[in-house]
Amino acid sequence: MGGLVIKRAYILAKQKEEFNVLADRVRTILFLATPHRGADIAQLLSKILNLSTGARPFVADLHRNSIATQSINDEFPQYCQNLQLYSFYETLPISYGVGKTLVVDKDLATLGYANERTAYLNANHREVCKYSAKTDSNYQTVRNALASTIDSFRTRATDSRRTIDNEQKRLLDGYLGVLDAPEDDFVGIDTTRMKGSCEWLVEKRSFLEWRDSANTQLYWISAKPATGKTVLSGRIIHHIKDLNRDLTFYFFDYRNKAKTTISSFLLSVAWQMSRMHIEVLDVVLEICGKDDQLCNADYRSIWRKLFVEGILRTKLVRPQYWVIDALDECKSSSELVPLLLKIIEGSPIRIIVTTRRRFELHSRVTSLGVKVVSEEIQENDTISDIMIYLEAHMDQLPLIDEEARQNMVAKIISKSNGCFLWVSLILQELKQVHTSAEIRQVLEDVPSDMNQLYSRILSVMGAATYGKKLAKAILTWTVCSARPLTTQELYHALQIDLKDNIDSVERSIESSCGQLVYIDAQSRVQMIHQTARDYLLQAGETVEFAIDSKLGHKTIAMTCLHYLNGNEMKGPKHRRLSASHIVKQRCPFITYACQSFYEHITHISSIDDEILSELARFLRSSNVLAWIEYIAQNSDLIRLIQAGKVFKNFLQRRSYYLSPIGKEVALIDSWSIDLVRLVTKFGKNLLAFPSSIFQLIPPFCPPETAPWKQFAASTRGIAVLGLSNTNWDDCLSTVVNVNELFSALACSKEYFAIGMLSGKIAIYYEMTCQEAQTLLHHESVRILEFSKTLDVLASAGVKKIRIWNTRSWEQIWEFDIAQMPMSVTFMEEQQLLLGALKNNQLMIWDLVTGTPRESANWTTDLEGPNAHAYRRPIAAAFCMESGLLAVIYRGQDILLWDLERDSLHDIYCKETGARVHGRERISTPGVTGLVFSLAPNTSLLAASYADGDLVLFDTSEGTVRAVTLANAQTLASSPDGRTLASGNSSGVIQLFDFETLKLLYRINSEEYGIQDLVFSENSHRLLDIRGSQCRVWDPTVLVRQDIDEENSDTVSVSTIAQEVSLARSENAILITSLACYKSENIYFCGKEDGSVYLYETKSAQQISKVFSCAHGITILSLFLEEQSQVLSSVDSSSRVMAHKLTRRQKGWEAAEVLFDHRAGVAVHQVLSNSTSTRLLVCTAEKDILWSIGTSGNTVIRELFWQDRVAYRWAQHPAQQDQLILIMKNVAHLYDWQTLQRLTRNEGILLEGSILPELAIQFIMHCSGGTLLSTTFRESLQPHSESRLLLWNTSDFCVDSASAAPVPKYRSLASQVKNLIGEHEQRLVFLHGSGWICSANLQSSNINEYTRHFFLPADWLSTNDDLMFGLTRNGDITFVKRDQVAVIKRGLDTVEPSVNGPGKRPSLLTGNRPSLTVPEPDGV
């Protein structure tokens, strides 16, 4: 039964953490006739033993399926899945005196597992492990099993050491964003170490115990500044490398911002371990493959995803060593120490740390399971190293006798106090002297204190005859730069700064300030030590080379602005998108100047007029566009937003001291807003086409903005006329999906999410409003909620709650729910999700295990006659600060439930607040919405009532604090708890001060039915959803009394309370139809009030009213017959009118009504012939041809239809007396005079088998009437996909049986979203990407089309059909609600040709049955 004992031992080793390492080393178990499920002979053995003396309790455990064997067999499968098992069974019986039998039958000796191999042995139970010779077949069977096992071990070992291929390296580098190899840092440091130095540490007993102990430890080395800790770290790394141990290391460095964060440390460690261990690499690539932006996340997400859930779960056989240098230079070192302790506690990783601070300062975070060895470097420890250092450099000093030499060494050591930096600086001074006396003088004069030493170095530098100005500049740039500059960057920066030529930065550093500044292995200019930087910043004005932080930052900012204002940043006069890669060579300083100049403005005094003027000069020039282009090409658009915020903050600080007036202030203020708007309005276009900022974007900015004023007022480029908005409104961005209805909304620090009734969840970046991801909830989404700390998003529907990882966007958990939740919230620390369901149940889910925890019914304690009223709640809100849940019922007061006590807290009524126990309820209007303030330490609850009142309760006192009239239905609290937002069914959003209900702002919008409101994480933005639209609002009133803590002269900025209406004017009337008079450059607009107005394209202004139908009856469509000058209209009452137009001195007017008829049903199309003697009126059921004449109007013919699908009539381009009718995939020709069909019954089959689901949308003739352009739409809904087909007009004649699309135009089929018209032999259309494009119909290569300009995304964000027009001059008209935008010279702007074929499938498919048009029922 030894096999059973081994199984139990293995189970215990896997279960007990202290034996996990042992269990993990077991790979294979061979069982020789082991009674896995007992043995039948055990019963006989028990009977025999009962007759003898002495108990044998273990025999009972061998009975078939005994409790002991069953217990082992129940547990063993879950632990042995990674083992290779061999089970050998006996085949010969054994004699036991009175008979023969098998001790363990085959079914009892085998397990039946998938990872088990079985084999028989030609032996009895005693002989299965006894072999007579190597030729014994049983021996060979067992031997072969062992050999196979060992061979598999070798294969695994080979696999584990397999090399990483180049593709994996590329993926790893890209995912983790590790640009600088840690080995480079080590090599640079190790080369400075003298051979034989730092040996005192690696010989220390405490170090050896840390290195070799079976128990992992944290080895903490602390020392004073400049005592050689980094070099010591290099020696430790070298030592562990020599031992061929698995090593990871990291050097924190204050001089490089990228190397001062926990995130950079974790990413570097993950990168190194992945390059070292293939198992770790697989895990890291898998995690990052799901979340390729993980390297941009905060360190908590990286720690949890990469380490807790990945690397630390990987089983590594060999001990791991981490060396971490300069922990004190990590920005959040106090937060990193607990992570290091957790690593040591749960994995075989030994960590050594060097830092200035002793571990006792972190002792509060010590884990009981981790041993910490704390060592402080003493002077005696480094004396031998200093001796070695001095010996190595003696040959560079003056030749002196041995006694003098020994005295000098002793003097240096005694004064060094163990500081290597001090010794290094002294040696540099000694190299400059030549006599023993001078040596003695240096040793006497040089102080041992580092600050005094720095002071002396600066004094020596001040005594120099030349180079002081250059030295001061180098020090300033090195101390104050946002990141270390390379020598090439600094070379160009200094020449701009000093306005002089410099021979060599390297030589200049060595000669003028080499004792304080050095150049590292990556050619970056660095301060010799952080203490030197601190001294320069803290030294007083009496020190010549002392650096004033504000002046230093000003110097750098001014230099950057000088460069940005220079010729290198001047763009070409006529920049095209294709010219992006032809930009002339620029100096290396461009990267720093473009990406970092605004960071320095944050540190400059706000009353500095010089920086104000230079910044204004830059923003006034065209160079600002080149800067925006460079950022879009080479960086992140967020930098533009950050720059805008810096400019705004600078002006706000300045306004406290100086009056905020003047042209320069106004310009900077404008750009501070414009930069943000450029990203949110045009960000997608900027990223795709950075050079669009020069010509294509400014014309579409409002006229009062800086981009328009400075760059769109030219009479040569694109001009946009006709729009009344002169500045950006408070709507930052609009998201529209006309095919969806939005139902839920949530916002986090990085993203906002929109839930839809279709089950989709769209994720957008909060900063740029660009789409990031789409999720599927698989049912209507009713609630969305982001966690503030857990990087998860909860989505809830009627039946399911899903939890999503916001880094990988993968679903983590799925919970079934009995009823739809009204509200959900996170308990962050406990990692729980709470949900208030419509069955009065409070549910709690564990986000660690993915299981329900518990539930409670908050109506259990309700008693009395009104208890039955609390059956079906309609809304709920959580307040985790107070531990309350508020629930509302139809027609009832507010119920408050205490989450901590799991009991009723109180019931609140509108008049008094908390109801006194036993007091009868006063009849009050029902509650429509409620929300708690999210401010910390607050107890405010806002509730809206059906009578329009908004009531503010104080739940700590049980009182009503304030009441106001709001007519609110939806409420939201800002995350800071200071602002309350309300929305109603009329589309009005109101912002209140949460503590007083004082109205701050009102937004009147044109769309009704606000579904949800939510604030951004910083409380500065407000988002709403209504219908198919989500708007992001950015009113300045939300930025109230915010303080920038980084600057000493920052002040509190308060925005005056105001009430603002952003709706269109009451006099504004929507335009509902459009008709262009191309030959006259005028156009007519039908409006929702029944009027038709004349506009001219030159000014894009409304000229006069042409005519008006019944007031309030919308004009649905207009048709202009230019030859006869007749304008036909259809209104929403199905009235059809035709007016004869006459030119007058002041314009055009409707001189005569030629036709006036009410059809009685919806009219789809009106068409007249060239002489306007015939008028065709089309409805779903019939088409009527009217004769128009002076003697009256008569019906010539009626065509009746049954179940007619989409159709379209058009004038035949080549035959003025004929009409073309297209339905499905068939065309017919009709006579204009009689409406008699001219083609045969089958009509003209449109070949290519147009898909049945496609409906004809538009017919237009082009190319002098030789081509017929048609667009088909996939559905009758607005914005559905359109397909373009062009046909030869000659194929549409009376005798034609079929027509095929012209093959050379097929590449355009999937490119056209809207067909606009024809201009100069070019087909003009709106591309699906939002670009206005054209294709040369006469070109032999029609596979290419030309881009001209793109329309702003919010122009295309409408639920209605887009209305375009094209004038004779090539001006494009576009209807934008109650206005018409005229885009002049747009087609003159030509961008590179684009290949035609798109991604959508071809419209044409072969071998489909032909479809015929139904015959008309009669006349």
Side-chain angles (χ1 to χ4, degrees):
M1 66 188 288
L4 299 178
V5 174
I6 286 295
K7 287 165 69 176
R8 170 55 69 187
Y10 182 79
I11 292 169
L12 293 174
K14 295 292 285 186
Q15 292 175 338
K16 295 184 178 296
E17 187 175 351
E18 61 266 34
F19 299 114
N20 281 175
V21 175
L22 175 62
D24 291 341
R25 300 184 67 180
V26 178
R27 303 295 178 85
T28 302
I29 301 178
L30 290 81
F31 296 104
L32 301 178
T34 298
H36 294 297
R37 282 180 287 277
D40 292 334
I41 198 174
Q43 294 181 355
L44 175 62
L45 182 60
S46 296
K47 294 177 181 179
I48 295 173
L49 292 175
N50 286 337
L51 300 177
S52 63
T53 59
R56 301 289 193 277
F58 63 87
V59 175
D61 293 338
L62 291 177
H63 286 196
R64 179 184 282 265
N65 295 325
S66 67
I67 295 176
T69 58
Q70 284 184 0
S71 174
I72 293 173
N73 291 334
D74 287 343
E75 294 183 85
F76 190 63
Q78 60 181 307
Y79 296 113
C80 72
Q81 294 177 1
N82 296 323
L83 297 179
Q84 178 61 63
L85 304 178
Y86 289 86
S87 293
F88 301 91
Y89 56 89
E90 62 204 72
T91 55
L92 300 179
I94 190 172
S95 298
Y96 54 90
V98 294
K100 292 184 177 182
T101 186
L102 294 175
V103 175
V104 182
D105 293 329
K106 176 183 177 181
D107 66 315
L108 301 175
T110 57
L111 295 165
Y113 298 165
N115 56 330
E116 177 194 30
R117 297 181 186 179
T118 61
Y120 72 88
L121 297 176
N122 190 27
N124 60 33
H125 194 73
R126 286 198 188 102
E127 305 298 328
V128 291
C129 58
K130 299 178 181 179
Y131 314 112
S132 58
K134 291 184 178 181
T135 57
D136 188 333
S137 61
N138 294 332
Y139 168 84
Q140 291 180 345
T141 299
V142 176
R143 175 210 172 271
N144 290 343
L146 285 168
S148 176
T149 298
I150 294 171
D151 184 65
S152 68
F153 287 171
R154 289 172 176 164
T155 302
R156 290 181 189 175
T158 302
D159 289 344
S160 67
R161 294 192 298 269
R162 75 178 192 266
T163 58
I164 304 174
D165 59 42
N166 290 332
E167 177 61 18
Q168 289 176 313
K169 291 178 181 178
R170 185 189 66 80
L171 286 174
L172 184 68
D173 293 349
Y175 283 148
L176 299 185
V178 178
L179 301 178
D180 299 326
E183 195 70 25
D184 294 341
D185 293 334
F186 164 67
V187 171
I189 291 167
D190 196 48
T191 53
T192 63
R193 185 179 62 85
M194 309 307 302
K195 186 176 180 180
S197 63
C198 302
E199 296 300 323
W200 57 270
L201 177 66
V202 298
E203 295 172 357
K204 269 200 173 190
R205 181 177 179 180
S206 59
F207 175 84
L208 295 175
E209 182 181 349
W210 167 83
R211 187 193 69 185
D212 301 327
S213 173
N215 298 320
T216 55
Q217 302 174 1
L218 173 62
Y219 200 78
W220 188 278
I221 301 176
S222 59
K224 295 182 296 183
T227 50
K229 295 184 295 297
T230 298
V231 175
L232 184 63
S233 296
R235 176 64 185 107
I236 297 169
I237 293 170
H238 201 292
H239 174 74
I240 297 175
K241 279 176 171 284
D242 288 344
L243 297 175
N244 196 28
R245 304 286 175 89
D246 294 345
L247 172 67
T248 299
F249 52 88
Y250 191 79
F251 295 89
F252 283 104
D253 188 351
Y254 77 95
R255 296 163 294 192
N256 188 343
K257 286 185 178 180
K259 292 184 178 180
T260 61
T261 65
I262 299 178
S263 296
S264 61
F265 161 73
L266 294 175
L267 291 171
S268 178
V269 169
W271 184 85
Q272 293 178 71
M273 294 192 73
S274 298
R275 298 290 291 258
M276 192 187 324
H277 303 288
I278 200 69
E279 305 95 326
V280 175
L281 175 69
D282 293 339
V283 169
V284 170
L285 291 182
E286 180 182 1
I287 292 172
C288 293
K290 298 175 182 177
D291 181 7
D292 59 1
Q293 295 300 312
L294 186 59
C295 66
N296 297 321
D298 60 81
Y299 82 82
R300 295 178 182 86
S301 299
I302 297 172
W303 161 253
R304 190 183 76 253
K305 290 298 299 178
L306 271 186
F307 287 85
V308 176
E309 299 175 8
I311 294 174
L312 297 182
R313 292 185 180 181
T314 305
K315 299 296 182 182
L316 300 174
V317 178
R318 285 158 53 95
Q320 305 297 303
Y321 295 86
W322 289 9
V323 179
I324 305 171
D325 179 63
L327 182 64
D328 52 284
E329 296 184 24
C330 172
K331 286 183 178 179
S332 306
S333 59
S334 60
E335 298 176 33
L336 177 57
V337 173
L339 303 186
L340 299 179
L341 294 173
K342 289 180 182 178
I343 290 171
I344 295 173
E345 188 175 17
S347 60
I349 298 177
R350 296 159 172 79
I351 300 177
I352 193 165
V353 169
T354 66
T355 179
R356 293 185 188 182
R357 306 175 68 188
R358 290 178 291 118
F359 182 76
E360 286 71 16
L361 299 173
H362 298 277
S363 57
R364 60 182 179 82
V365 299
T366 305
S367 173
L368 296 177
V370 177
K371 181 179 179 181
V372 179
V373 179
S374 182
E375 288 280 357
E376 186 172 4
I377 299 177
Q378 305 295 331
E379 288 185 34
N380 293 335
D381 294 325
T382 57
I383 288 178
S384 60
D385 295 339
I386 294 176
M387 288 284 294
I388 294 173
Y389 183 77
L390 291 173
E391 290 288 343
H393 290 85
M394 279 299 164
D395 59 340
Q396 301 176 21
L397 299 181
L399 295 175
I400 53 178
D401 57 44
E402 182 62 25
E403 182 180 358
R405 176 180 171 278
Q406 291 180 359
N407 290 337
M408 179 181 67
V409 169
K411 187 72 171 179
I412 292 175
I413 291 175
S414 65
K415 296 191 68 174
S416 70
N417 295 324
C419 180
F420 262 99
L421 178 60
W422 186 92
V423 174
S424 173
L425 295 174
I426 287 300
L427 286 182
Q428 291 186 45
E429 290 215 16
L430 290 174
K431 292 176 185 178
Q432 309 300 320
V433 299
H434 305 284
T435 66
S436 297
E438 290 175 335
I439 291 175
R440 288 192 297 272
Q441 183 179 354
V442 168
L443 294 178
E444 290 295 332
D445 293 346
V446 174
S448 58
D449 179 76
M450 285 304 301
N451 282 351
Q452 294 178 8
L453 177 58
Y454 290 141
S455 177
R456 185 178 184 279
I457 292 172
L458 295 179
S459 297
V460 173
M461 290 170 57
T465 306
Y466 303 105
K468 290 194 289 183
K469 185 178 180 181
L470 177 60
K472 179 66 177 287
I474 293 173
L475 291 176
T476 299
W477 279 87
T478 309
V479 167
C480 296
S481 60
R483 62 164 174 81
L485 278 74
T486 65
T487 53
Q488 281 296 308
E489 288 177 324
L490 184 58
Y491 172 78
H492 292 280
L494 290 173
Q495 292 195 123
I496 299 171
D497 179 12
L498 301 176
K499 299 178 178 60
D500 198 356
N501 293 325
I502 298 174
D503 178 31
S504 167
V505 167
E506 292 84 352
R507 283 199 293 271
S508 298
I509 290 174
E510 183 179 357
S511 61
S512 61
C513 50
Q515 288 183 288
L516 299 177
V517 178
Y518 76 100
I519 301 170
D520 67 14
Q522 285 77 44
S523 296
R524 295 171 303 189
V525 182
Q526 310 265 20
M527 289 300 296
I528 195 168
H529 199 267
Q530 185 174 358
T531 55
R533 179 180 184 273
D534 294 340
Y535 178 79
L536 290 173
L537 289 172
Q538 296 166 7
E541 295 180 359
T542 56
V543 179
E544 183 178 2
F545 292 95
I547 295 173
D548 182 291
S549 177
K550 290 185 178 182
L551 292 179
H553 284 289
K554 176 186 175 180
T555 297
I556 297 178
M558 291 292 289
T559 303
C560 291
L561 287 171
H562 285 323
Y563 173 80
L564 295 175
N565 280 321
N567 292 329
E568 277 197 12
M569 290 300 291
K570 289 187 182 298
K573 293 183 178 180
H574 303 289
R575 176 67 62 89
R576 290 173 47 176
L577 303 189
S578 57
S580 298
H581 62 284
I582 314 177
V583 177
K584 59 186 177 182
Q585 186 68 31
R586 290 162 168 166
C587 77
F589 183 58
I590 184 175
T591 301
Y592 188 89
C594 287
Q595 295 184 359
S596 302
F597 85 91
Y598 62 87
E599 295 185 51
H600 297 282
I601 296 177
T602 303
H603 304 278
I604 299 173
S605 171
S606 60
I607 60 174
D608 193 305
D609 290 334
E610 192 177 4
I611 195 71
L612 181 82
S613 298
E614 193 65 18
L615 178 59
R617 176 174 167 240
F618 167 59
L619 297 176
R620 191 183 301 115
S621 71
S622 61
N623 291 24
V624 69
L625 300 183
W627 169 62
I628 295 172
E629 178 195 34
Y630 183 88
I631 293 296
Q633 280 178 331
N634 302 284
S635 188
D636 193 328
L637 291 181
I638 290 179
R639 290 186 181 273
L640 297 180
I641 295 178
Q642 292 171 342
K645 291 183 176 180
V646 167
F647 299 164
K648 176 66 73 174
N649 173 264
F650 178 78
L651 295 181
Q652 288 176 341
R653 291 187 285 129
R654 183 179 177 88
S655 66
Y656 184 72
Y657 304 100
L658 301 171
S659 176
I661 58 174
K663 292 182 178 180
E664 292 178 334
V665 171
L667 177 66
I668 298 172
D669 184 59
S670 179
W671 274 107
S672 72
I673 299 170
D674 297 337
L675 287 173
V676 177
R677 291 297 200 268
L678 286 174
V679 174
T680 56
K681 297 283 188 181
F682 304 100
K684 188 175 181 180
N685 303 111
L686 270 174
L687 288 174
F689 313 103
S691 294
S692 62
I693 189 62
F694 287 94
Q695 293 186 30
L696 304 187
I697 290 178
F700 291 94
C701 297
E704 291 300 317
T705 62
W708 192 95
K709 286 181 177 179
Q710 296 173 219
F711 309 111
S714 170
T715 58
R716 298 179 180 178
I718 297 175
V720 180
L721 308 178
L723 301 181
S724 60
N725 281 352
T726 59
N727 217 325
W728 307 110
D729 57 30
D730 282 346
C731 182
L732 187 68
S733 185
T734 302
V735 175
V736 173
N737 188 333
V738 295
N739 298 316
E740 300 283 353
L741 287 176
F742 297 167
S743 54
L745 188 62
C747 192
S748 71
K749 185 177 181 180
E750 296 180 61
Y751 305 99
F752 65 89
I754 303 172
M756 308 176 194
L757 291 182
S758 66
K760 293 181 181 178
I761 304 171
I763 309 297
Y764 293 83
Y765 291 109
E766 192 275 336
M767 184 75 77
T768 63
C769 303
Q770 303 298 313
E771 188 169 4
Q773 188 65 252
T774 300
L775 311 176
L776 287 177
H777 185 81
H778 297 295
E779 63 172 335
S780 295
V781 182
R782 302 296 180 176
I783 296 175
L784 292 171
E785 184 75 14
F786 280 100
S787 168
K788 289 180 173 58
T789 62
L790 299 179
D791 289 333
V792 295
L793 166 69
S795 62
V798 177
K799 298 180 180 179
K800 300 279 187 183
I801 292 179
R802 302 180 192 273
I803 308 299
W804 309 87
N805 183 307
T806 57
R807 293 301 167 191
S808 64
W809 296 114
E810 288 192 338
Q811 180 178 309
I812 304 173
W813 304 117
E814 176 185 308
F815 305 126
D816 294 321
I817 48 178
Q819 290 283 332
M820 187 177 78
M822 301 173 290
S823 180
V824 298
T825 192
F826 290 94
M827 293 183 67
E828 310 286 349
E829 293 184 2
Q830 292 86 351
Q831 298 191 41
L832 301 175
L833 177 71
L834 278 65
L837 276 55
K838 285 210 167 188
N839 60 356
N840 295 306
Q841 289 285 325
L842 173 67
M843 293 293 298
I844 302 177
W845 293 275
D846 192 320
L847 299 180
V848 177
T849 62
T851 57
R853 281 273 293 265
E854 53 192 274
S855 65
N857 189 310
W858 60 73
T859 61
T860 303
D861 295 344
L862 296 178
E863 299 177 354
N866 293 325
H868 69 279
Y870 297 96
R871 291 182 179 177
R872 187 71 175 173
I874 59 175
F878 286 98
C879 178
M880 303 312 297
E881 182 79 18
S882 303
L884 295 177
L885 168 66
V887 188
I888 57 177
Y889 297 79
R890 197 173 305 280
Q892 300 298 315
D893 290 330
I894 303 172
L895 182 150
L896 264 67
W897 180 263
D898 192 315
L899 296 172
E900 296 179 358
R901 299 179 180 178
D902 197 20
S903 62
L904 180 67
H905 176 77
D906 215 326
I907 294 177
Y908 274 47
C909 65
K910 176 185 174 184
E911 292 77 14
T912 62
R915 273 170 43 189
V916 180
H917 182 69
R919 178 177 175 180
E920 292 187 5
R921 176 179 178 273
I922 302 173
S923 178
T924 59
V927 185
T928 59
L930 75 171
V931 67
F932 285 97
S933 170
L934 297 179
N937 304 316
T938 191
S939 55
L940 299 180
L941 169 65
S944 57
Y945 285 82
D947 63 356
D949 281 349
L950 179 63
V951 181
L952 183 65
F953 299 102
D954 188 329
T955 58
S956 63
E957 300 177 358
T959 58
V960 175
R961 177 177 286 195
V963 180
T964 191
L965 184 64
N967 294 312
Q969 291 180 326
T970 304
L971 299 175
S973 170
S974 61
D976 60 13
R978 300 169 62 192
T979 308
L980 171 67
S982 73
N984 63 26
S985 58
S986 299
V988 177
I989 297 175
Q990 297 183 100
L991 302 179
F992 301 90
D993 181 272
F994 212 130
E995 293 189 353
T996 63
L997 292 190
K998 176 186 177 183
L999 180 66
L1000 302 174
Y1001 213 64
R1002 176 181 287 122
I1003 303 171
N1004 294 327
S1005 187
E1006 297 157 354
E1007 285 78 16
Y1008 295 98
I1010 296 174
Q1011 185 72 22
D1012 203 358
L1013 290 169
V1014 68
F1015 283 88
S1016 62
E1017 187 71 16
N1018 62 5
S1019 302
H1020 291 176
R1021 293 180 180 177
L1022 177 69
L1023 295 81
D1024 78 77
I1025 55 173
R1026 52 187 103 192
S1028 299
Q1029 298 186 354
C1030 172
R1031 281 193 169 89
V1032 182
W1033 303 95
D1034 189 26
T1036 55
V1037 72
L1038 290 178
V1039 187
R1040 296 188 291 143
Q1041 299 178 0
D1042 288 337
I1043 298 177
D1044 183 352
E1045 298 175 353
E1046 296 183 9
N1047 305 286
S1048 60
D1049 64 345
T1050 300
V1051 299
S1052 176
V1053 179
S1054 178
T1055 305
I1056 301 174
Q1058 54 190 303
E1059 183 175 344
V1060 175
S1061 174
L1062 296 180
R1064 60 187 171 98
S1065 168
E1066 294 181 1
N1067 298 324
I1069 303 168
L1070 296 184
I1071 295 172
T1072 53
S1073 54
L1074 175 71
C1076 281
Y1077 197 159
K1078 292 189 67 173
S1079 60
E1080 296 291 336
N1081 282 325
I1082 59 174
Y1083 53 96
F1084 300 92
C1085 293
K1087 301 192 176 185
E1088 63 178 347
D1089 66 346
S1091 61
V1092 176
Y1093 277 84
L1094 170 68
Y1095 290 71
E1096 58 141 350
T1097 58
K1098 183 177 181 180
S1099 65
Q1101 296 299 311
Q1102 179 176 292
I1103 303 302
S1104 61
K1105 181 189 289 187
V1106 181
F1107 64 86
S1108 181
C1109 300
H1111 183 72
I1113 305 300
T1114 302
I1115 304 294
L1116 298 179
S1117 64
L1118 294 173
F1119 175 80
L1120 177 65
E1121 177 49 58
E1122 293 192 24
Q1123 184 175 330
S1124 58
Q1125 298 179 342
V1126 172
L1127 180 64
S1128 302
S1129 63
V1130 178
D1131 65 25
S1132 57
S1133 68
S1134 70
R1135 184 182 182 185
V1136 181
M1137 299 184 71
H1139 289 80
K1140 175 66 176 178
L1141 301 177
T1142 303
R1143 183 195 292 271
R1144 302 296 185 192
Q1145 185 176 1
K1146 295 183 178 180
W1148 291 77
E1149 65 179 34
E1152 179 184 0
V1153 177
L1154 300 180
F1155 183 82
D1156 191 346
H1157 172 73
R1158 197 176 301 275
V1161 294
V1163 177
H1164 296 163
Q1165 187 180 6
V1166 170
L1167 196 66
S1168 67
N1169 63 355
S1170 58
T1171 59
S1172 293
T1173 57
R1174 293 291 185 269
L1175 186 69
L1176 182 65
V1177 179
C1178 308
T1179 67
E1181 297 179 352
K1182 64 180 179 180
D1183 300 322
I1184 308 173
L1185 181 64
W1186 290 82
S1187 172
I1188 309 295
T1190 56
S1191 59
N1193 304 322
T1194 58
V1195 175
I1196 295 178
R1197 182 179 173 85
E1198 295 182 342
L1199 297 180
F1200 293 88
W1201 307 90
Q1202 285 186 351
D1203 303 323
R1204 178 158 66 162
V1205 294
Y1207 64 94
R1208 203 71 185 167
W1209 290 89
Q1211 169 72 55
H1212 196 295
Q1215 303 295 330
Q1216 293 298 308
D1217 59 345
Q1218 292 180 9
L1219 284 163
I1220 298 177
L1221 170 65
I1222 295 180
M1223 288 193 294
K1224 292 189 176 179
N1225 65 336
V1226 174
H1228 277 283
L1229 302 183
Y1230 285 82
D1231 184 89
W1232 245 127
Q1233 298 301 314
T1234 63
L1235 204 60
Q1236 294 290 338
R1237 191 179 66 213
L1238 303 177
T1239 48
R1240 57 183 181 172
N1241 292 341
E1242 294 79 8
I1244 303 171
L1245 178 65
L1246 303 181
E1247 291 184 346
S1249 298
I1250 299 172
L1251 300 179
E1253 59 267 26
L1254 294 177
I1256 183 67
Q1257 176 191 9
F1258 187 71
I1259 305 174
M1260 181 189 78
H1261 65 80
C1262 51
S1263 195
T1266 61
L1267 290 175
L1268 195 68
S1269 301
T1270 59
T1271 56
F1272 291 81
R1273 181 176 283 176
E1274 292 182 355
S1275 74
L1276 297 179
Q1277 299 298 319
H1279 298 282
S1280 59
E1281 298 291 349
S1282 295
R1283 307 297 172 91
L1284 171 71
L1285 293 176
L1286 282 88
W1287 318 78
N1288 283 318
T1289 303
S1290 58
D1291 290 342
F1292 292 85
C1293 59
V1294 174
D1295 298 328
S1296 299
S1298 64
V1302 181
K1304 76 172 185 175
Y1305 300 119
R1306 288 192 180 187
S1307 59
L1308 294 176
S1310 59
Q1311 306 302 315
V1312 177
K1313 181 176 182 179
N1314 285 79
L1315 193 57
I1316 297 175
E1318 182 190 13
H1319 180 66
E1320 296 179 351
Q1321 296 294 307
R1322 299 190 68 88
L1323 194 66
V1324 182
F1325 59 91
L1326 173 68
H1327 190 268
S1329 63
W1331 279 79
I1332 299 296
C1333 303
S1334 68
N1336 186 351
L1337 297 176
Q1338 305 303 314
S1339 173
S1340 59
N1341 183 15
I1342 203 65
N1343 285 325
E1344 293 184 347
Y1345 58 88
T1346 300
R1347 294 179 306 199
H1348 297 284
F1349 60 91
F1350 49 76
L1351 295 178
D1354 60 335
W1355 284 32
L1356 306 177
S1357 301
T1358 173
N1359 295 328
D1360 302 320
D1361 271 322
L1362 302 177
M1363 285 183 279
F1364 287 94
L1366 184 61
T1367 71
R1368 179 182 60 186
N1369 296 335
D1371 299 335
I1372 292 176
T1373 59
F1374 178 84
V1375 174
K1376 197 169 183 290
R1377 300 193 63 80
D1378 62 314
Q1379 302 172 91
V1380 179
V1382 178
I1383 306 163
K1384 305 181 79 66
R1385 298 182 293 278
L1387 298 183
D1388 296 339
T1389 303
V1390 178
E1391 299 301 338
S1393 297
V1394 180
N1395 289 333
K1399 296 181 180 179
R1400 292 188 290 180
S1402 173
L1403 173 70
L1404 307 177
T1405 57
N1407 302 321
R1408 281 180 134 347
S1410 63
L1411 300 175
T1412 57
V1413 177
E1415 285 294 312
D1417 292 343
V1419 180

